Amino acid sequence: MRDFYPDDVRLQNWLFDTWRAVSRSFGFEEYEGPIFEFLDLYRLKSGDEIVNELFNFTDRGAREFAIRPEMTPSLARMVAARANALPRPIKWFSIPRMCRAEKPQRGRLREFFQWNLDVLGVEDPLADAEVISAAVAFFRACGLTSQDVMMRISHRGVASAALAKHGIPRELIPQAFAVIDKFDRLTPEAFTPMCAERLGADVSAEALRELVTTATMDDCLELATQDGPAGIVDATALRQLWGHLESMGVADVCTFDLRIVRGLAYYTGSVFEAHARQGGLRALCGGGRYDDLTGLLDGPRVPGVGFGMGDVPMIECLKQLGKLPDPGDSIDVFVIDTDASLLPQMLEIVADLRSAGLRADFSYKRTGVGKQFKQAGGRGARYALIVGDELAERGEVTIKDLRTGQQQTVAAAELRQRPVEWLGGV
Ligand code: HAM
């Protein structure tokens, strides 16, 4: 589990502020859910991969719970409970803290925060395009381009049709997805026996490898349209999604990739993951369309699409690319006294500055002016305010701009009346 020292929290605040700003600029509203849920919510809806990574416990009433490993089941539960009352489209985002008992590695920890952005109540691929655009808008806000990250997109229906046309029996397609989901992480030597074990001897690992690595979107759309009415619907949705991504100006960061199938059980349509182009990090974000999840929770059918993005892989990626911002810890003013006897007046001034909304600090030790200036620098102060003998003599204090080095004297009464004008605006 994680400790967050102030430096870590400062960076995290920057990340959360950026996630929130992007979400709001796309018209999404924030929600929250509980830190744990009934274990069954995940056991029945998320699929084996998540269930094997749960931190679960039994309470004194012998009820089984799990700390949330993802947000989507809670979201679907909340939406299903008020499905008839919520105005559509439901455009919600959240930044939940969650836990998965996975082996900690670069970009994956047991405890993490995950930006979730989802649209519910809309079947139109416009919603898929909008959530993907929001993820790309966030990458751009961090200074990342198509040189740095790629959103890899596929569609489970279109992929099923392509697999079926390549001889994978329909009933084995969920198994084939599970194998393909591991493709990027497995060596060729490990991929072949896994194919044989999960898909039987009749399916050629080589043919599957060839298909998922070389098939273009046009190839797959063609195969899907030959696959009956459902295939035509899926192909149309994928084609429309691509058109919208182009209109929204994010197509340069997007690529069709049949290797993206996603590990979670509830996806029904588009599926996507963003990956850093270099550095071998696992996915930066992942999501897709889940049209049956609220129905599985015994609620009315409310289609949905969205993604989750982890704080850990995102910070790791920015660090690797040298794009980590430096959200320095700055204050407006550090107040310095030139003599211990001035402490009471100095504290009065500090209190005034703080109640005017300025970020003001001072030294706990009555030390030399030089040392206090050093402390002011260490706190990243924009101004130093020097309270010295001239306060008693002429009612004046001195302001030093620590960026320019310029110094000026001001009447203490004037400063106390309009502190923000003199010391604000860092
Ligand atoms: P997921 O692929 O399990 O999907 O996770 C999505 C993202 O969460 C990952 O790409 C990664 O950024 C982050 N993540 C996952 N596990 C960890 C970890 N152990 N440490 C740090 N970050 C991690 C879901 O969770 C879906 N519920 C997303 C979704 C929302 N689908 C539709 N709406």
Side-chain angles (χ1 to χ4, degrees):
M1 312 309 274
R2 296 161 77 186
D3 294 326
F4 292 86
Y5 288 88
D7 283 349
D8 307 315
V9 173
R10 210 177 307 131
L11 192 58
Q12 189 183 57
N13 283 341
W14 164 81
L15 181 67
F16 288 11
D17 287 348
T18 313
W19 279 344
R20 285 201 168 94
V22 171
S23 306
R24 294 196 178 117
S25 76
F26 276 72
F28 284 71
E29 285 188 292
E30 191 160 1
Y31 71 100
E32 243 298 6
I35 187 76
F36 58 82
E37 293 266 12
F38 283 115
L39 176 61
D40 272 349
L41 185 70
Y42 308 109
R43 211 151 41 194
L44 304 178
K45 321 299 174 222
S46 299
D48 291 348
E49 194 156 310
I50 288 260
V51 170
N52 293 335
E53 292 174 349
L54 284 176
F55 281 107
N56 54 311
F57 62 95
T58 307
D59 77 351
R60 277 171 287 188
R63 293 176 300 183
E64 288 187 295
F65 294 104
I67 300 176
R68 59 187 174 191
E70 61 155 338
M71 195 63 169
T72 318
S74 301
L75 171 63
R77 182 183 56 65
M78 288 167 66
V79 167
R82 298 203 182 162
N84 297 327
L86 292 169
R88 313 292 168 89
I90 299 160
K91 294 174 68 171
W92 287 2
F93 79 96
S94 190
I95 308 179
R97 185 181 204 132
M98 46 188 58
C99 291
R100 291 185 193 178
E102 43 181 324
K103 192 164 148 262
Q105 53 186 289
R106 241 176 93 239
R108 292 285 185 275
L109 296 176
R110 292 200 185 94
E111 182 186 10
F112 59 102
F113 290 82
Q114 193 196 52
W115 177 34
N116 278 253
L117 186 107
D118 292 83
V119 180
L120 287 104
V122 179
E123 243 158 325
D124 193 310
L126 255 177
D128 308 49
E130 203 177 26
V131 296
I132 292 172
S133 290
V136 174
F138 167 75
F139 293 141
R140 288 183 176 156
C142 299
L144 303 181
T145 67
S146 56
Q147 303 294 311
D148 308 306
V149 285
M150 262 294 146
M151 186 65 87
R152 300 162 65 192
I153 304 172
S154 184
H155 187 290
R156 279 198 173 173
V158 171
S160 300
L163 291 171
K165 293 276 171 197
H166 276 76
I168 307 227
R170 287 272 173 197
E171 64 281 8
L172 284 183
I173 283 177
Q175 292 285 358
F177 282 166
V179 174
I180 296 169
D181 188 47
K182 303 267 178 309
F183 184 86
D184 279 349
R185 278 176 269 159
L186 290 179
T187 59
E189 297 74 48
F191 183 69
T192 308
M194 186 178 225
C195 268
E197 185 198 322
R198 298 273 187 103
L199 303 175
D202 292 345
V203 175
S204 149
E206 202 37 57
L208 189 59
R209 187 200 319 275
E210 171 82 12
L211 174 69
V212 297
T213 51
T214 61
T216 64
M217 183 160 86
D218 284 339
D219 296 338
C220 295
L221 288 172
E222 179 60 34
L223 293 171
T225 38
Q226 296 165 14
D227 199 45
I232 293 171
V233 169
D234 290 335
T236 307
L238 181 57
R239 212 175 271 124
Q240 286 178 342
L241 167 60
W242 225 267
H244 296 319
L245 292 173
E246 272 161 19
S247 311
M248 289 176 180
V250 297
D252 64 314
V253 192
C254 298
T255 178
F256 175 78
D257 194 327
L258 206 51
R259 282 169 293 184
I260 300 301
V261 288
R262 309 270 301 130
L264 292 161
Y266 46 67
Y267 293 116
T268 53
S270 65
V271 275
F272 48 87
E273 280 181 4
H275 288 255
R277 278 179 172 267
Q278 271 158 12
L281 269 178
R282 285 177 60 187
L284 300 174
C285 79
R289 177 163 277 283
Y290 49 94
D291 285 348
D292 299 331
L293 192 53
T294 52
L296 290 173
L297 296 168
D298 301 328
R301 181 172 178 277
V302 186
V305 60
F307 67 82
M309 181 186 291
D311 61 337
V312 187
M314 210 50 242
I315 294 288
E316 190 67 31
C317 168
L318 292 172
K319 203 182 284 171
Q320 192 174 290
L321 293 169
K323 304 244 166 152
L324 212 55
D326 177 19
D329 174 34
S330 54
I331 57 170
D332 298 298
V333 52
F334 195 92
V335 187
I336 291 172
D337 55 5
T338 58
D339 189 276
S341 64
L342 292 164
L343 180 66
Q345 289 98 308
M346 191 266 265
L347 291 179
E348 272 177 34
I349 293 176
V350 169
D352 278 359
L353 298 179
R354 286 176 174 168
S355 55
L358 291 168
R359 292 167 295 177
D361 206 355
F362 64 96
S363 174
Y364 283 156
K365 280 197 188 147
R366 314 286 28 95
T367 58
V369 172
K371 277 198 177 160
Q372 294 184 64
F373 264 113
K374 217 168 170 186
Q375 247 183 300
R379 297 287 287 104
R382 169 71 201 275
Y383 297 101
L385 179 69
I386 304 131
V387 179
D389 292 337
E390 62 277 18
L391 181 61
E393 289 162 11
R394 298 188 295 276
E396 285 177 351
V397 289
T398 304
I399 296 172
K400 181 167 184 178
D401 184 327
L402 296 176
R403 254 186 236 162
T404 63
Q406 277 175 352
Q407 208 162 297
Q408 60 181 324
T409 307
V410 56
E414 155 69 11
L415 179 77
R416 291 170 101 154
Q417 219 166 27
R418 298 187 297 139
V420 177
E421 266 123 274
W422 288 93
L423 301 167
V426 169

